[in-house]
């Protein structure tokens, strides 16, 4: 009688163990999917902002040169919106304009441009916080690049990098590709930038 009971209990116990393992596996797979999904949502959010062609949207690139005397310091900034394209060069740390070029834009041209930026991974990277995101004094002998998505005057996302190995910043994309895409939006960009030495 005892042997019959044991022979009945063993298969039931094995079935219960298999069910418990299956449930545990499903829970861990579910957690992995949901945590992966939340990261994807964050990326999708910045990509959606980047490729939006709403009238108040714009993208901006700022390039700062080496940290030198105020008289010799140079930088430039390019802003592209669905209606305008502007490139301005600056002298000194107080951003005194040297020269500027402004052209009209249209929604179709802007759409192609921001989709190209998206394919070039302009928003690839994690936003840094605190001291890690402070670019003051960063890469004193090279260049610092900042790339931003704007809604009106509000910066929605900002990533940066530099030409110095010790200061990679938050951008995880090819800066030369992004810079080239921006500069090609202003046909006179080479002439405007020839006036400054970065």
């Amino acid at each position: 009688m005892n042997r019959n009971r044991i022979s009945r209990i063993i298969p039931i116990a094995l079935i219960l163990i298999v069910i418990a393992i299956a449930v545990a596996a499903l829970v861990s797979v579910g957690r992995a999917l949901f945590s992966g999904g939340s990261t994807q949502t964050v990326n999708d959010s910045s990509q959606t902002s980047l490729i939006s062609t709403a009238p108040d949207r714009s993208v901006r690139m700022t390039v700062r040169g080496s940290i030198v005397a105020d008289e010799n310091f140079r930088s430039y900034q390019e802003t592209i919106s669905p209606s305008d394209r502007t490139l301005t060069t600056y002298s000194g740390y107080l951003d005194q304009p040297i020269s500027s070029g402004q052209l009209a834009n249209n929604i179709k041209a802007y759409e192609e441009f921001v989709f190209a930026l998206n394919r070039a991974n302009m928003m690839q990277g994690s936003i840094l916080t605190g001291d890690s995101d402070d670019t003051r004094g960063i890469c004193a002998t090279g260049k610092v690049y900042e790339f931003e998505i704007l809604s009106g005057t509000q910066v929605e996302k900002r990533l940066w990098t530099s030409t110095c190995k010790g200061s990679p910043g938050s951008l995880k994309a090819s800066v030369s590709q992004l810079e080239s895409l921006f500069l090609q939006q202003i046909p006179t960009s080479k002439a405007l930038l020839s006036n400054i030495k970065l």
Side-chain angles (χ1 to χ4, degrees):
M1 196 97 165
N2 281 341
R3 284 187 181 180
N4 277 342
R5 255 188 170 171
I6 291 171
S7 64
R8 286 181 192 167
I9 292 173
I10 288 176
I12 293 171
L14 287 174
I15 290 171
L16 290 174
I17 290 170
V18 169
I19 291 172
I21 291 171
V23 169
L26 283 172
V27 168
S28 65
V29 167
R31 283 184 183 165
L33 287 175
F34 285 120
S35 65
S38 65
T39 303
Q40 188 63 39
T41 302
V42 171
N43 290 340
D44 286 347
S45 172
S46 63
Q47 286 178 341
T48 302
S49 294
L50 174 60
I51 62 175
S52 171
T53 58
D56 66 335
R57 293 291 178 164
S58 60
V59 288
R60 182 165 64 197
M61 174 182 71
T62 305
V63 183
R64 184 202 82 196
S66 302
I67 297 175
V68 292
D70 184 54
E71 296 83 359
N72 299 328
F73 179 75
R74 298 292 181 266
S75 62
Y76 70 90
Q77 188 171 79
E78 184 173 342
T79 305
I80 310 291
S81 76
S83 58
D84 294 294
R85 294 168 286 154
T86 307
L87 173 63
T88 306
T89 59
Y90 298 99
S91 170
Y93 295 97
L94 299 179
D95 293 336
Q96 296 297 315
I98 299 172
S99 58
S100 184
Q102 184 168 6
L103 299 164
N105 206 10
N106 61 68
I107 291 174
K108 183 61 179 166
Y110 182 76
E111 180 180 53
E112 290 290 340
F113 175 57
V114 291
F115 268 78
L117 292 177
N118 186 45
R119 292 184 188 280
N121 299 316
M122 184 175 119
M123 286 295 107
Q124 190 71 36
S126 300
I127 298 172
L128 302 175
T129 56
D131 290 342
S132 300
D133 198 41
D134 189 350
T135 57
R136 291 176 298 178
I138 291 288
C139 194
T141 58
K143 297 178 189 175
V144 174
Y145 295 83
E146 295 182 15
F147 295 93
E148 299 167 306
I149 301 172
L150 296 98
S151 177
T153 57
Q154 183 74 35
V155 175
E156 286 200 352
K157 187 170 181 181
R158 170 185 160 270
L159 297 174
W160 66 273
T161 189
S162 78
T163 57
C164 297
K165 283 187 178 180
S167 306
S170 51
L171 181 71
K172 305 298 179 199
S174 167
V175 71
S176 60
Q177 184 181 12
L178 293 174
E179 182 181 31
S180 175
L181 283 168
F182 267 91
L183 294 179
Q184 287 176 29
Q185 292 296 302
I186 308 284
T188 58
S189 61
K190 282 186 180 177
L192 289 167
L193 295 180
S194 67
N195 295 328
I196 63 171
K197 227 181 184 184
L198 292 182

